[in-house]
Amino acid sequence: MTVIETLSPPDAAPARRPARTRVIWLFVLVGVLAASVVASLAFGSRTVAWSDLWSALGGAEGTLEEAAVAKRIPRTLLATVAGAALGIAGAVMQGVTRNPLADPGILGVNMGASLAVVTAIAYFGLASASGYIWVAMAGAAVSAVFVYAVGSLGRGGATPLKLALAGAAISAALASLVSAVVLPRTDIGDTFRLWQVGTVGGASYDQLRTVAPYLLAGFVICLASARSLNSLALGDDLAAGLGERVALVRAGAALGAVILCGATTAAVGPIGFVGLLVPHACRLLIGVDHRWLLPFSALSGAVLLTVADVIGRVVARPAEIDVGIVTAIVGAPFFIHIVRRQKVTSL
């Protein structure tokens, strides 16, 4: 019997009703994701007809429209998996820290991965795609530990507000260091500037094959920690009383989140606010049970990043706005709303 079931009322009817609601929302999200994928394939600097879309999905590339769709397929896949990874990573970080403001971007994890990759390329000549991922994961892990250590200083320990402030300050410092590394290198500056904003443009099947094993490992670790995250939500003492090894649970779940953040940042750059928006929206829909919250966060994150990429391509035709800019435009006001709406203490 799980913690959630233990705390449920004895009446079976109320328990079934939320389950039905979750299933309904699950089908809705799957439908929205399918529509988002179709929109990503159909819309861009060149809008294509349905006939061109279906023929391109069948492998045809004889016309400009079919070639455009074929080029959008890996981009759409990358946006989907990257959004899912960031959505789950945000939900796990919020569960591990019991901090409703936790997010890979706000806590400095993405920027730590960025600095590690930029430094390795500029000073150590790193050129391997898999090497980018390992370096990014190491940078994400170091940054996460450092932010948590700084946020734990002083009276009260690692409160949500202190962690958010520490993460924002350290993110700003790391962003300055990234600029300091990139600016003198005119030979790589343009490439880094595009990547630093966060973009899924230029995605390829080779890139997807490289990042897929790491994302799969991160997904498995995070999803396996769902029951334990439910216990952590009750507090460390009660979780320990229920048989959870609190430190081990936190370390394992955080490892999964760091793998997802590092691999995603290596592939698309430091995209912010997805991990903040998505878990909050999912909690409003289906509650706080992480066994449901994590899969819903994956689907919602995939929808958000895919839609943001479509918006960036449509509103600036024939040019495009990088997806990291679109998510920042949406996410910054949402972050301010969260801080102003309620007294932020813990989940």
Side-chain angles (χ1 to χ4, degrees):
M1 182 176 290
T2 66
V3 176
I4 299 300
E5 291 167 342
T6 304
L7 297 179
S8 297
D11 185 7
R16 287 195 300 267
R17 197 175 304 120
R20 288 198 298 269
T21 302
R22 289 165 176 168
V23 171
I24 291 172
W25 278 115
L26 180 63
F27 280 108
V28 170
L29 268 180
V30 171
V32 173
L33 178 58
S36 303
V37 169
V38 172
S40 179
L41 295 175
F43 298 108
S45 59
R46 179 186 295 271
T47 302
V48 300
W50 284 105
S51 57
D52 295 316
L53 177 61
W54 291 117
S55 60
L57 290 175
E61 297 185 33
T63 66
L64 289 176
E65 288 76 12
E66 291 171 347
V69 174
K71 187 176 180 180
R72 291 171 191 167
I73 293 175
R75 177 175 187 155
T76 301
L77 291 174
L78 183 59
T80 301
V81 297
L86 293 174
I88 286 188
V92 169
M93 286 184 176
Q94 290 176 11
V96 166
T97 62
R98 299 182 65 205
N99 178 2
L101 299 179
D103 165 78
I106 293 172
L107 295 186
V109 178
N110 286 348
M111 197 54 65
S114 299
L115 178 61
V117 171
V118 167
T119 302
I121 295 175
Y123 295 112
F124 299 99
L126 182 66
S128 167
S130 60
Y132 293 164
I133 297 174
W134 283 105
V135 170
M137 288 190 294
V142 171
S143 179
V145 171
F146 186 60
V147 168
Y148 191 84
V150 172
S152 301
L153 298 176
R155 183 180 301 176
T159 64
L161 187 57
K162 286 167 64 178
L163 284 174
L165 292 174
I170 292 172
S171 291
L174 295 176
S176 299
L177 290 175
V178 169
S179 298
V181 172
V182 171
L183 288 177
R185 297 292 302 271
T186 57
D187 56 325
I188 57 177
D190 291 337
T191 302
F192 277 139
R193 273 192 291 273
L194 290 174
W195 177 81
Q196 190 177 347
V197 172
T199 180
V200 293
S204 65
Y205 291 110
D206 288 339
Q207 188 180 26
L208 286 166
R209 281 190 290 268
T210 300
V211 78
Y214 302 95
L215 292 179
L216 180 60
F219 284 137
V220 170
I221 294 172
C222 288
L223 292 174
S225 69
R227 287 178 178 269
S228 298
L229 289 174
N230 285 340
S231 299
L232 290 184
L234 302 174
D236 290 358
D237 293 338
L238 186 52
L242 292 170
E244 298 288 353
R245 297 181 180 180
V246 175
L248 184 61
V249 167
R250 277 206 168 94
L255 174 64
V258 165
I259 291 174
L260 291 177
C261 292
T264 303
T265 302
V268 301
I271 296 175
F273 292 106
V274 176
L276 176 67
L277 273 67
V278 164
H280 278 281
C282 291
R283 286 191 194 94
L284 294 176
L285 295 179
I286 52 93
V288 297
D289 186 348
H290 285 84
R291 295 171 301 176
W292 287 88
L293 181 62
L294 296 186
F296 268 77
S297 295
L299 288 172
S300 302
V303 169
L304 176 60
L305 204 62
T306 304
V307 170
D309 183 42
V310 174
I311 292 173
R313 281 184 272 161
V314 170
V315 299
R317 289 175 175 171
E320 64 181 58
I321 301 174
D322 290 317
V323 67
I325 297 175
V326 178
T327 58
I329 292 172
V330 175
F334 185 82
F335 175 71
I336 295 171
H337 170 70
I338 293 173
V339 174
R340 289 175 58 87
R341 186 179 62 124
Q342 59 186 355
K343 183 179 179 181
V344 180
T345 54
S346 62
L347 291 175

Coordinates of all heavy atoms in Angstrom, one line a residue, residues 147-224:
V147 N 24.6 25.3 -5.8 CA 23.4 26.1 -5.4 C 22.8 25.6 -4.2 O 22.4 26.4 -3.3 CB 22.4 26.1 -6.6 CG1 21.1 26.7 -6.2 CG2 23.0 26.8 -7.8
Y148 N 22.7 24.3 -4.0 CA 22.0 23.8 -2.8 C 22.9 24.1 -1.6 O 22.3 24.5 -0.5 CB 21.9 22.3 -2.9 CG 21.0 21.7 -1.8 CD1 19.6 21.7 -1.9 CD2 21.5 21.2 -0.7 CE1 18.8 21.2 -1.0 CE2 20.7 20.6 0.3 CZ 19.4 20.6 0.2 OH 18.6 20.1 1.2
A149 N 24.2 24.1 -1.7 CA 25.1 24.4 -0.6 C 24.9 25.9 -0.2 O 24.8 26.2 1.0 CB 26.5 24.1 -0.9
V150 N 24.9 26.7 -1.2 CA 24.8 28.2 -0.9 C 23.4 28.5 -0.3 O 23.3 29.2 0.7 CB 25.0 29.0 -2.1 CG1 24.7 30.5 -1.9 CG2 26.4 28.9 -2.6
G151 N 22.4 27.8 -0.8 CA 21.0 28.1 -0.3 C 20.8 27.5 1.1 O 19.8 27.9 1.7
S152 N 21.7 26.6 1.5 CA 21.5 26.0 2.8 C 22.2 26.8 3.9 O 22.0 26.5 5.1 CB 22.1 24.5 2.8 OG 21.5 23.7 1.9
L153 N 23.0 27.8 3.5 CA 23.7 28.6 4.5 C 22.7 29.4 5.3 O 21.7 29.9 4.9 CB 24.7 29.5 3.9 CG 25.8 28.8 3.1 CD1 26.7 29.8 2.4 CD2 26.7 27.9 4.0
G154 N 23.0 29.7 6.6 CA 22.2 30.6 7.4 C 21.1 29.9 8.1 O 20.9 28.7 8.1
R155 N 20.3 30.7 8.8 CA 19.2 30.2 9.6 C 18.1 29.6 8.7 O 17.7 30.2 7.7 CB 18.6 31.3 10.5 CG 17.5 30.9 11.4 CD 17.0 32.1 12.2 NE 18.1 32.7 13.0 CZ 18.0 33.8 13.7 NH1 16.8 34.4 13.7 NH2 19.0 34.3 14.4
G156 N 17.6 28.5 9.1 CA 16.5 27.9 8.4 C 16.8 26.9 7.3 O 16.0 26.2 6.7
G157 N 18.1 26.8 7.0 CA 18.5 25.8 6.0 C 18.1 26.2 4.6 O 17.9 27.4 4.2
A158 N 17.9 25.2 3.7 CA 17.6 25.5 2.3 C 16.1 25.7 2.1 O 15.4 24.8 1.7 CB 18.1 24.2 1.5
T159 N 15.7 26.9 2.4 CA 14.3 27.3 2.1 C 14.1 27.5 0.6 O 15.0 27.8 -0.1 CB 13.9 28.5 2.9 OG1 14.7 29.6 2.4 CG2 14.2 28.4 4.4
P160 N 12.8 27.4 0.2 CA 12.6 27.6 -1.3 C 13.0 29.0 -1.8 O 13.6 29.1 -2.8 CB 11.0 27.5 -1.4 CG 10.7 26.6 -0.3 CD 11.6 26.9 0.9
L161 N 12.8 30.0 -1.0 CA 13.2 31.4 -1.4 C 14.7 31.5 -1.5 O 15.2 32.1 -2.4 CB 12.5 32.4 -0.5 CG 12.7 33.9 -1.0 CD1 12.2 34.1 -2.4 CD2 12.1 34.8 0.0
K162 N 15.4 31.0 -0.5 CA 16.8 31.1 -0.5 C 17.4 30.3 -1.7 O 18.4 30.7 -2.3 CB 17.4 30.6 0.8 CG 17.2 31.5 2.0 CD 17.5 30.9 3.3 CE 18.9 30.4 3.4 NZ 19.2 29.8 4.8
L163 N 16.9 29.1 -2.0 CA 17.4 28.4 -3.1 C 17.1 29.1 -4.4 O 18.0 29.1 -5.3 CB 16.7 27.0 -3.1 CG 17.2 25.9 -2.1 CD1 16.3 24.7 -2.2 CD2 18.6 25.6 -2.4
A164 N 15.9 29.7 -4.5 CA 15.7 30.5 -5.8 C 16.6 31.7 -5.9 O 17.1 31.9 -7.0 CB 14.2 30.9 -5.8
L165 N 16.8 32.4 -4.8 CA 17.7 33.5 -4.9 C 19.2 33.1 -5.2 O 19.9 33.7 -6.0 CB 17.7 34.3 -3.6 CG 16.4 35.0 -3.3 CD1 16.4 35.6 -1.9 CD2 16.1 36.1 -4.3
A166 N 19.6 32.0 -4.5 CA 21.0 31.5 -4.8 C 21.1 31.0 -6.2 O 22.1 31.3 -6.9 CB 21.3 30.3 -3.8
G167 N 20.1 30.3 -6.7 CA 20.1 29.9 -8.1 C 20.1 31.0 -9.1 O 20.9 30.9 -10.1
A168 N 19.3 32.0 -8.8 CA 19.3 33.2 -9.8 C 20.7 33.9 -9.8 O 21.2 34.3 -10.9 CB 18.2 34.2 -9.4
A169 N 21.2 34.1 -8.6 CA 22.5 34.8 -8.5 C 23.6 34.0 -9.2 O 24.5 34.5 -10.0 CB 22.9 35.0 -7.1
I170 N 23.7 32.7 -8.9 CA 24.7 31.8 -9.5 C 24.5 31.7 -11.0 O 25.5 31.6 -11.8 CB 24.7 30.5 -8.8 CG1 25.2 30.7 -7.4 CG2 25.6 29.5 -9.5 CD1 25.1 29.4 -6.5
S171 N 23.2 31.6 -11.5 CA 23.0 31.5 -12.9 C 23.5 32.8 -13.6 O 24.1 32.7 -14.7 CB 21.5 31.4 -13.2 OG 21.0 30.2 -12.7
A172 N 23.3 33.9 -13.0 CA 23.8 35.2 -13.6 C 25.3 35.2 -13.7 O 25.9 35.6 -14.7 CB 23.3 36.4 -12.8
A173 N 25.9 34.7 -12.6 CA 27.4 34.6 -12.6 C 27.9 33.6 -13.6 O 28.9 33.9 -14.4 CB 27.9 34.2 -11.2
L174 N 27.3 32.5 -13.8 CA 27.7 31.5 -14.8 C 27.5 32.0 -16.2 O 28.3 31.8 -17.1 CB 26.9 30.2 -14.6 CG 27.2 29.4 -13.2 CD1 26.4 28.2 -13.1 CD2 28.7 29.0 -13.2
A175 N 26.4 32.8 -16.4 CA 26.1 33.3 -17.7 C 27.2 34.3 -18.1 O 27.7 34.4 -19.2 CB 24.8 34.0 -17.7
S176 N 27.7 35.1 -17.1 CA 28.8 36.0 -17.4 C 30.1 35.3 -17.7 O 30.8 35.7 -18.6 CB 29.0 36.9 -16.1 OG 27.9 37.7 -15.8
L177 N 30.3 34.2 -17.0 CA 31.5 33.4 -17.3 C 31.4 32.8 -18.7 O 32.4 32.7 -19.5 CB 31.7 32.3 -16.3 CG 32.1 32.8 -14.9 CD1 32.1 31.6 -13.9 CD2 33.4 33.4 -14.9
V178 N 30.2 32.4 -19.1 CA 30.0 31.8 -20.5 C 30.4 32.9 -21.5 O 31.1 32.7 -22.5 CB 28.6 31.3 -20.7 CG1 28.3 31.0 -22.2 CG2 28.3 30.1 -19.8
S179 N 29.9 34.1 -21.3 CA 30.2 35.2 -22.2 C 31.7 35.5 -22.2 O 32.2 35.8 -23.3 CB 29.4 36.5 -21.8 OG 28.0 36.3 -21.8
A180 N 32.3 35.5 -21.1 CA 33.7 35.7 -21.0 C 34.5 34.7 -21.8 O 35.6 35.0 -22.4 CB 34.2 35.7 -19.6
V181 N 34.0 33.5 -21.8 CA 34.7 32.4 -22.6 C 34.5 32.6 -24.1 O 35.4 32.4 -24.9 CB 34.3 31.0 -22.1 CG1 34.8 29.9 -23.0 CG2 34.7 30.8 -20.7
V182 N 33.3 33.0 -24.4 CA 32.9 33.0 -25.9 C 33.3 34.2 -26.6 O 33.8 34.1 -27.7 CB 31.3 32.8 -26.0 CG1 30.9 33.0 -27.4 CG2 30.9 31.5 -25.5
L183 N 33.2 35.4 -26.0 CA 33.5 36.6 -26.7 C 34.9 36.7 -27.3 O 35.0 37.2 -28.5 CB 33.3 37.8 -25.8 CG 31.8 38.1 -25.4 CD1 31.7 39.2 -24.4 CD2 31.0 38.4 -26.6
P184 N 35.9 36.3 -26.7 CA 37.3 36.3 -27.3 C 37.4 35.4 -28.5 O 38.3 35.6 -29.3 CB 38.3 36.0 -26.2 CG 37.5 36.2 -24.9 CD 36.1 35.8 -25.3
R185 N 36.6 34.4 -28.6 CA 36.7 33.4 -29.6 C 35.8 33.7 -30.8 O 34.7 33.2 -30.9 CB 36.4 32.0 -29.1 CG 37.3 31.5 -28.0 CD 38.7 31.2 -28.5 NE 38.7 30.2 -29.6 CZ 38.8 28.9 -29.4 NH1 38.9 28.5 -28.1 NH2 38.7 28.1 -30.4
T186 N 36.2 34.5 -31.7 CA 35.4 34.9 -32.8 C 35.1 33.8 -33.8 O 34.1 33.8 -34.5 CB 36.1 36.1 -33.6 OG1 37.4 35.6 -34.0 CG2 36.3 37.3 -32.7
D187 N 36.0 32.8 -33.8 CA 35.8 31.6 -34.6 C 34.6 30.8 -34.2 O 34.0 30.1 -35.1 CB 37.0 30.8 -34.7 CG 37.5 30.3 -33.3 OD1 37.3 31.1 -32.4 OD2 38.0 29.2 -33.2
I188 N 34.2 30.8 -33.0 CA 33.1 30.0 -32.5 C 32.0 30.8 -31.9 O 31.0 30.2 -31.4 CB 33.6 28.9 -31.5 CG1 34.3 29.6 -30.3 CG2 34.5 27.9 -32.1 CD1 34.7 28.7 -29.2
G189 N 32.1 32.1 -31.9 CA 31.2 33.0 -31.2 C 29.8 32.9 -31.7 O 28.8 32.8 -31.0
D190 N 29.6 32.9 -33.1 CA 28.3 32.8 -33.7 C 27.5 31.6 -33.3 O 26.4 31.6 -33.0 CB 28.4 33.0 -35.2 CG 28.8 34.4 -35.6 OD1 28.6 35.3 -34.8 OD2 29.3 34.6 -36.7
T191 N 28.2 30.4 -33.4 CA 27.6 29.1 -33.1 C 27.2 29.1 -31.6 O 26.1 28.7 -31.3 CB 28.6 28.0 -33.4 OG1 29.0 28.0 -34.8 CG2 28.0 26.7 -33.1
F192 N 28.0 29.6 -30.8 CA 27.7 29.5 -29.3 C 26.5 30.5 -29.0 O 25.7 30.2 -28.1 CB 28.9 29.9 -28.5 CG 29.9 28.8 -28.2 CD1 31.2 29.0 -28.3 CD2 29.4 27.5 -27.9 CE1 32.1 28.0 -28.0 CE2 30.2 26.5 -27.7 CZ 31.6 26.7 -27.7
R193 N 26.5 31.6 -29.7 CA 25.4 32.6 -29.4 C 24.1 31.9 -29.7 O 23.1 32.1 -29.0 CB 25.6 33.9 -30.1 CG 26.5 34.9 -29.4 CD 26.5 36.2 -30.0 NE 27.1 36.2 -31.3 CZ 28.4 36.5 -31.5 NH1 29.2 36.7 -30.5 NH2 28.9 36.5 -32.7
L194 N 24.0 31.2 -30.8 CA 22.7 30.6 -31.2 C 22.4 29.5 -30.2 O 21.2 29.3 -29.7 CB 22.8 30.0 -32.6 CG 22.8 31.0 -33.7 CD1 23.0 30.3 -35.0 CD2 21.5 31.8 -33.7
W195 N 23.4 28.7 -29.8 CA 23.2 27.6 -28.9 C 22.8 28.0 -27.5 O 22.0 27.5 -26.8 CB 24.4 26.7 -28.9 CG 24.4 25.5 -27.9 CD1 23.7 24.3 -28.1 CD2 24.9 25.5 -26.6 NE1 23.9 23.5 -27.0 CE2 24.6 24.2 -26.1 CE3 25.6 26.4 -25.9 CZ2 25.0 23.8 -24.8 CZ3 26.1 26.0 -24.6 CH2 25.7 24.7 -24.1
Q196 N 23.5 29.1 -27.1 CA 23.3 29.7 -25.7 C 21.9 30.1 -25.4 O 21.4 30.0 -24.3 CB 24.3 30.8 -25.5 CG 24.4 31.3 -24.0 CD 25.4 32.4 -23.9 OE1 26.2 32.6 -24.8 NE2 25.4 33.0 -22.8
V197 N 21.2 30.6 -26.5 CA 19.8 31.0 -26.3 C 18.9 29.8 -26.1 O 17.9 29.9 -25.3 CB 19.3 31.8 -27.5 CG1 17.8 32.1 -27.5 CG2 20.1 33.1 -27.6
G198 N 19.2 28.7 -26.7 CA 18.3 27.6 -26.6 C 17.5 27.4 -27.9 O 16.6 28.2 -28.2
T199 N 17.9 26.4 -28.7 CA 17.2 26.2 -30.0 C 17.2 24.8 -30.4 O 18.1 24.0 -30.0 CB 18.0 27.0 -31.1 OG1 17.3 26.8 -32.4 CG2 19.4 26.6 -31.2
V200 N 16.1 24.4 -31.1 CA 16.0 23.0 -31.7 C 16.3 23.1 -33.2 O 16.2 22.0 -33.8 CB 14.7 22.4 -31.4 CG1 14.5 22.1 -29.9 CG2 13.5 23.2 -31.9
G201 N 16.6 24.2 -33.7 CA 16.9 24.3 -35.1 C 18.2 23.6 -35.4 O 19.1 23.5 -34.6
G202 N 18.3 23.0 -36.6 CA 19.5 22.3 -36.9 C 19.6 20.9 -36.4 O 20.6 20.2 -36.4
A203 N 18.5 20.4 -35.8 CA 18.4 19.0 -35.3 C 18.7 18.0 -36.4 O 18.3 18.2 -37.6 CB 17.1 18.8 -34.6
S204 N 19.3 16.9 -36.0 CA 19.5 15.8 -37.0 C 19.3 14.5 -36.3 O 19.2 14.4 -35.1 CB 21.0 15.9 -37.5 OG 21.9 15.6 -36.4
Y205 N 19.1 13.5 -37.2 CA 18.9 12.1 -36.6 C 20.2 11.6 -35.9 O 20.0 10.9 -34.9 CB 18.6 11.1 -37.8 CG 17.2 11.4 -38.4 CD1 17.1 11.9 -39.7 CD2 16.1 11.1 -37.7 CE1 15.9 12.1 -40.2 CE2 14.8 11.3 -38.2 CZ 14.7 11.9 -39.5 OH 13.5 12.1 -40.0
D206 N 21.4 12.0 -36.3 CA 22.6 11.6 -35.6 C 22.6 12.2 -34.1 O 22.9 11.6 -33.2 CB 23.8 12.1 -36.3 CG 24.1 11.3 -37.6 OD1 23.6 10.2 -37.7 OD2 24.8 11.8 -38.5
Q207 N 22.1 13.5 -34.0 CA 22.0 14.1 -32.7 C 21.0 13.4 -31.8 O 21.3 13.2 -30.7 CB 21.6 15.6 -32.9 CG 21.6 16.4 -31.7 CD 21.2 17.9 -32.0 OE1 20.4 18.1 -32.9 NE2 21.6 18.8 -31.2
L208 N 19.9 13.0 -32.4 CA 18.9 12.3 -31.6 C 19.4 10.9 -31.2 O 19.2 10.5 -30.0 CB 17.6 12.1 -32.5 CG 16.8 13.3 -32.7 CD1 15.8 13.1 -33.8 CD2 16.0 13.7 -31.4
R209 N 20.1 10.2 -32.1 CA 20.7 8.9 -31.7 C 21.7 9.0 -30.6 O 21.8 8.2 -29.7 CB 21.3 8.2 -32.9 CG 20.2 7.6 -33.8 CD 20.9 6.7 -34.9 NE 21.6 7.5 -35.8 CZ 21.1 7.9 -37.0 NH1 19.9 7.6 -37.3 NH2 21.8 8.6 -37.8
T210 N 22.5 10.1 -30.6 CA 23.5 10.3 -29.6 C 22.9 10.6 -28.2 O 23.3 10.1 -27.2 CB 24.4 11.5 -30.0 OG1 25.0 11.2 -31.2 CG2 25.5 11.7 -28.9
V211 N 21.9 11.4 -28.2 CA 21.3 11.8 -26.9 C 20.3 10.9 -26.3 O 20.0 10.9 -25.1 CB 20.7 13.2 -27.1 CG1 19.3 13.2 -27.7 CG2 20.6 14.0 -25.7
A212 N 19.7 10.0 -27.2 CA 18.6 9.1 -26.8 C 19.0 8.2 -25.6 O 18.2 8.1 -24.7 CB 18.1 8.3 -28.0
P213 N 20.1 7.5 -25.6 CA 20.4 6.6 -24.5 C 20.5 7.3 -23.1 O 20.0 6.8 -22.1 CB 21.8 6.0 -24.8 CG 21.9 6.2 -26.3 CD 21.2 7.4 -26.6
Y214 N 21.0 8.5 -23.1 CA 21.1 9.3 -21.9 C 19.7 9.8 -21.4 O 19.4 9.7 -20.2 CB 22.0 10.5 -22.0 CG 23.4 10.1 -22.5 CD1 23.8 10.1 -23.9 CD2 24.4 9.7 -21.6 CE1 25.0 9.7 -24.3 CE2 25.7 9.4 -22.0 CZ 26.0 9.4 -23.4 OH 27.2 9.0 -23.8
L215 N 18.9 10.2 -22.3 CA 17.6 10.6 -22.0 C 16.8 9.4 -21.5 O 16.0 9.6 -20.5 CB 16.9 11.3 -23.1 CG 17.4 12.6 -23.6 CD1 16.6 13.1 -24.8 CD2 17.4 13.7 -22.5
L216 N 16.9 8.3 -22.1 CA 16.2 7.1 -21.7 C 16.6 6.7 -20.2 O 15.7 6.4 -19.4 CB 16.4 6.0 -22.6 CG 15.8 4.6 -22.3 CD1 14.2 4.8 -22.3 CD2 16.2 3.5 -23.3
A217 N 17.9 6.8 -20.0 CA 18.4 6.5 -18.6 C 17.8 7.4 -17.6 O 17.3 7.0 -16.5 CB 19.9 6.5 -18.6
G218 N 17.8 8.7 -17.9 CA 17.2 9.7 -17.0 C 15.8 9.5 -16.8 O 15.3 9.6 -15.6
F219 N 15.0 9.2 -17.8 CA 13.6 9.0 -17.7 C 13.3 7.8 -16.8 O 12.5 7.9 -15.9 CB 12.9 8.7 -19.1 CG 12.7 9.9 -19.9 CD1 13.0 9.8 -21.3 CD2 12.2 11.1 -19.4 CE1 12.8 10.9 -22.1 CE2 12.0 12.2 -20.2 CZ 12.4 12.1 -21.5
V220 N 14.1 6.7 -17.0 CA 13.8 5.5 -16.1 C 14.1 5.8 -14.7 O 13.4 5.4 -13.8 CB 14.7 4.3 -16.7 CG1 14.7 3.2 -15.7 CG2 14.3 3.9 -18.0
I221 N 15.3 6.5 -14.4 CA 15.6 6.8 -13.0 C 14.6 7.7 -12.3 O 14.1 7.4 -11.2 CB 17.0 7.4 -12.9 CG1 18.1 6.5 -13.4 CG2 17.3 7.9 -11.5 CD1 19.5 7.1 -13.6
C222 N 14.1 8.7 -13.0 CA 13.1 9.6 -12.5 C 11.8 8.9 -12.2 O 11.2 9.1 -11.2 CB 13.0 10.8 -13.4 SG 14.4 12.0 -13.4
L223 N 11.3 8.2 -13.2 CA 10.0 7.5 -13.1 C 10.1 6.4 -11.9 O 9.1 6.2 -11.2 CB 9.6 6.8 -14.4 CG 9.3 7.8 -15.5 CD1 9.0 7.1 -16.8 CD2 8.0 8.7 -15.1
A224 N 11.2 5.8 -11.8 CA 11.4 4.8 -10.7 C 11.4 5.4 -9.3 O 11.1 4.7 -8.3 CB 12.7 4.0 -10.9

